[in-house]
Amino acid sequence: MRPLGVRVDDWLKDSEEVGPSWLTVDLAIFTLRDDQLMVLLIERGLDPFNGMPAMPGGYVQKDETLRDGALRELAEEAGIDGSQLHLEQFGTYADPGRDPRGRVVTVAYLALGPNLPTPVGGTDAARAFWAPAARLEDGALRLAFDHQTILTEALEEVRRKLEYTAVATAFCGETFTLRDLRTVYEVIWGQPLDPSNFRRKVLNTPGFVQPTGDQWLPPTGRPAALYRRGHAWLLNPPLLRAATSGQRG
Amino acid sequence: MRPLGVRVDDWLKDSEEVGPSWLTVDLAIFTLRDDQLMVLLIERGLDPFNGMPAMPGGYVQKDETLRDGALRELAEEAGIDGSQLHLEQFGTYADPGRDPRGRVVTVAYLALGPNLPTPVGGTDAARAFWAPAARLEDGALRLAFDHQTILTEALEEVRRKLEYTAVATAFCGETFTLRDLRTVYEVIWGQPLDPSNFRRKVLNTPGFVQPTGDQWLPPTGRPAALYRRGHAWLLNPPLLRAATSGQRG
DNA sequence: ACACTTATGGTCACAGCAACCATAACTGTA
DNA sequence: TACAGTTATGGTTGCTGTGACCATAAGTGT
């Protein structure tokens, strides 16, 4: 092992309480396929947890920002060009016991995109595949490290952000119909929405979507107007889920 | 320098692209004093940036969780017992150039509490003091590292969370009047709110606050009922700012 | 008794919403 | 061509929550 290439405080040098750590990014990549919310997993090709499913991710290189690292891993492990999709940091996990190799800090990123391609095998990962996001919560999936926790929290973050931000458009292509956008909400929230009311709310929210002027001809039915993302990120008013069951708080 | 005490992947060992990093937590500590939102700063006692104001924080120790590290720094540098206040991770900053000593990753925590005490000088910090949060945005303050960026983002996070969560109660004591709670919103949003309407919204939001049955006698005026925090965290419906000026999105 | 202050409660007009119905514009088939 | 089927779009109605504003309650000190 080579010595550390960093200078540290005098106090730090004398202390045995602080040690170096390894910095990684892990990606919670969600997309919509066949009207289902899917999450990208890889099968680990190395110990620890060899053979187990895990989040795509890897070490952040020297002189690389977290975001750049996330984009690189997105390309390497999932074959996805990240410049087209929504990438957002959402949490950092560093519990001492989370990785048997030592103190490994992972910064988790949310990556959302429209109908992403079937992933090619990456460089490190033995295999990459889409799994229904619902599997994360029914306990039918056992993941490496604390990735089960991370992905569950990522999923909840997506659901919540759908209400208050325009993040739903990240699941649509460059242009999309209101039907496409509504399907995003319906699939992720797991409940049908009234087309007419949805339309009114979206169009009355300034900056949510912009009409392109073009139309899309469905296989059957009336043509639908096409839209693209607006400039707004925070939705005001928010597009709230009906407070049907459960607690409201 | 002692060798690393961690095992790493074969791939990692061979690579010069990945190096160790140092893990710190930095704290954005906000409180209300004299009807002003204040942020806690320390004056650095060490290079780099010796003598400059900075966020309280420090290295995370081995076998310590991020949260425990944040709580320890809260006690060491600010003399604050963190068990009573709201502590929440909100972002991680790791740009290669952010610290001249090398790759230092900092996980930023939001710490919110009611009228916190004037800080005693900490162990590392030369001096700790409260500064008006408004100073963060008027450019009158120059902070060490990227702390200016971090604190500005923290402030925006607080403002936003006020709308959608019950975080405002974190700025109040164990029990509080609706006037106290309203003052939190008024100070942080910088706009007056109608007492009557505020009352109705808060009481109609299930789980936001619970009446204690006790009263508080102000120096003048009618006694006010006392409340404590409710069980709800997400507010439904949210307590939205009036969409007066500016963009709504 | 009175003014002063603050908490609490109510009214009213209006905006946004859910539920529902109606129409438009395309497809394919008899 | 006529028609059913399908989907997008548009409108109506009753209800709920909101902002602006007014009224009352319950303390203080003079």
Side-chain angles (χ1 to χ4, degrees), chain B residues 224-235:
Chain B
L226 283 170
Y227 297 83
R228 60 168 49 91
R229 288 180 253 283
H231 54 79
W233 177 242
L234 289 178
L235 298 185

Side-chain angles (χ1 to χ4, degrees), chain B residues 7-71:
Chain B
R7 289 176 42 224
V8 290
D9 285 346
D10 288 335
W11 172 80
L12 181 61
K13 268 197 216 147
D14 295 342
S15 171
E16 288 298 316
E17 300 297 324
V18 175
S21 51
W22 300 94
L23 181 62
T24 66
V25 288
D26 283 319
L27 294 160
I29 311 175
F30 291 102
T31 196
L32 254 56
R33 294 173 71 86
D34 307 324
D35 285 357
Q36 255 196 318
L37 184 64
M38 307 289 274
V39 60
L40 189 68
L41 299 177
I42 58 139
E43 196 178 291
R44 281 184 61 82
L46 295 169
D47 271 327
F49 299 103
N50 194 352
M52 280 189 78
M55 299 168 71
Y59 291 94
V60 179
Q61 298 182 354
K62 293 178 191 172
D63 304 323
E64 188 180 49
T65 65
L66 293 173
R67 187 181 179 82
D68 287 343
L71 286 169

Side-chain angles (χ1 to χ4, degrees), chain B residues 9-214:
Chain B
D9 285 346
D10 288 335
W11 172 80
L12 181 61
K13 268 197 216 147
D14 295 342
S15 171
E16 288 298 316
E17 300 297 324
V18 175
S21 51
W22 300 94
L23 181 62
T24 66
V25 288
D26 283 319
L27 294 160
I29 311 175
F30 291 102
T31 196
L32 254 56
R33 294 173 71 86
D34 307 324
D35 285 357
Q36 255 196 318
L37 184 64
M38 307 289 274
V39 60
L40 189 68
L41 299 177
I42 58 139
E43 196 178 291
R44 281 184 61 82
L46 295 169
D47 271 327
F49 299 103
N50 194 352
M52 280 189 78
M55 299 168 71
Y59 291 94
V60 179
Q61 298 182 354
K62 293 178 191 172
D63 304 323
E64 188 180 49
T65 65
L66 293 173
R67 187 181 179 82
D68 287 343
L71 286 169
R72 182 178 47 74
E73 294 291 344
L74 205 51
E76 285 182 8
E77 297 217 353
I80 293 173
D81 172 20
S83 64
Q84 295 307 315
L85 43 73
H86 177 75
L87 192 64
E88 175 191 1
Q89 186 191 118
F90 83 92
T92 297
Y93 299 81
D95 279 3
R98 68 174 292 276
D99 191 314
R101 292 167 295 184
R103 169 74 89 169
V104 179
V105 179
T106 194
V107 180
Y109 273 79
L110 213 54
L112 311 176
N115 203 346
L116 295 171
T118 304
V120 299
T123 53
D124 292 1
R127 192 167 79 89
F129 59 98
W130 293 104
R135 293 272 174 78
L136 292 173
E137 286 168 328
D138 64 11
L141 211 53
R142 213 160 291 277
L143 299 180
F145 305 106
D146 49 1
H147 289 185
Q148 167 92 22
T149 304
I150 299 178
L151 283 179
T152 303
E153 291 183 20
L155 182 54
E156 196 44 48
E157 176 83 357
V158 172
R159 288 212 188 92
R160 220 174 42 76
K161 283 226 158 151
L162 227 47
E163 297 191 320
Y164 301 123
T165 74
V167 76
T169 59
F171 289 101
C172 300
E174 184 65 26
T175 65
F176 49 87
T177 66
L178 291 182
R179 165 57 180 247
D180 296 330
L181 189 63
R182 180 163 55 92
T183 300
V184 173
Y185 280 89
E186 290 179 335
V187 166
I188 298 181
W189 283 348
Q191 59 187 215
L193 300 175
D194 182 273
S196 178
N197 293 336
F198 180 81
R199 171 191 184 75
R200 185 183 46 196
K201 284 175 85 162
V202 169
L203 296 184
N204 281 344
T205 301
F208 195 169
V209 297
Q210 294 177 322
T212 67
D214 294 333

